[in-house]
Every structure is written in C-alpha cells, then in structure tokens.
Amino acid sequence: QEQLMESGGGSVQAGGSLRLSCTASGYSYTLSTMAWFRQAPGKEREGVAAINRYGFTTYAESVKGRFTISQVGNTLDLHMDNLALEDTAMYYCAADVAPTDSTSYIPLGLEGWRYNSWGQGTQVTVSS
C-alpha cells in the first residue's frame, strides 16, 4: 500500500531542535518531489520546505537558515533548529508521486497543488 508516514514530532522549548522524518512506502521508484507543510490552529496550511530528487531545495522565508530538508531515496527529513513559538503546528509530509523520466525537469515549489499524496501529520509544539 502506498503511503506517507511521518514521525519525530514532539514538544520542545524555544531555541531547541527537532528532526522530522517521513517514509514513503509502496513505491518502486524514487519520488520526484517531496515537501513539508504545516498548519497551525486557525491558520491556513503553508509550505515549509521542498526538495526534488536532484537535490534542489526551496524554503519558506520564515524558516530559512533554521530548517534543513533532505531526502535519501524515499525518506524525507526536516531538521529544525532554533525553534520558535510560531513554529508550533501540525507538520505534514507531501509528495508528487507521479512517475517521471530519470532526466525530466522537475519544478519545485511550496504550493499545495503540486503534491498529490499526503501523510497524516505529526505535531510539533514549541513552548517558552
């Protein structure tokens, strides 16, 4: 069964660090683009970081310099440093699971419509 499964959320004090992981299972090929999104209570979902299989990355301005996204095969990580109260949210893994040729151009972005598979989410809570 094809699915995305997140892990690694939890509670941390402001200034601390967390690492989120996402495993995409059931796919016989490397996914072309994977990303992290988050949604805080009462707010819209926002893209946090994305990466394509060539290693190109993009980040939301609010997390640049603090978060690092990486992908090895179909495992996606998000290293979060210097966490702030406003980073508190449910974090979702997302992927574009459509197969692509090995040399295809792969656009990269933080818009939700680019992704067609989503995980269930993992909670990150930052306290003062």
Side-chain angles (χ1 to χ4, degrees):
Q1 182 179 357
E2 299 169 339
Q3 65 177 357
L4 304 180
M5 182 69 71
E6 303 96 337
S7 62
S11 298
V12 65
Q13 287 192 318
S17 300
L18 277 177
R19 188 186 80 170
L20 305 183
S21 291
C22 171
T23 299
S25 58
Y27 298 96
S28 60
Y29 51 91
T30 300
L31 300 179
S32 61
T33 312
M34 300 185 76
W36 289 98
F37 287 76
R38 67 186 181 186
Q39 187 166 21
K43 294 188 176 181
E44 293 188 354
R45 183 184 64 193
E46 63 171 341
V48 174
I51 186 169
N52 66 20
R53 67 164 184 256
Y54 301 135
F56 290 100
T57 59
T58 188
Y59 295 90
E61 286 296 324
S62 60
V63 306
K64 278 184 180 178
R66 301 188 298 123
F67 290 12
T68 303
I69 191 171
S70 59
Q71 179 184 358
V72 177
N74 284 340
T75 298
L76 181 71
D77 284 347
L78 184 69
H79 291 260
M80 305 184 292
D81 294 321
N82 194 21
L83 282 160
L85 298 179
E86 53 266 34
D87 295 317
T88 294
M90 184 71 79
Y91 283 71
Y92 297 91
C93 174
D96 177 0
V97 301
T100 57
D101 293 335
S102 61
T103 59
S104 296
Y105 167 70
I106 300 175
L108 198 59
L110 296 175
E111 299 86 357
W113 57 262
R114 296 181 180 274
Y115 304 93
N116 43 41
S117 183
W118 295 79
Q120 294 298 307
T122 186
Q123 178 68 36
V124 171
T125 302
V126 183
S127 60
S128 59

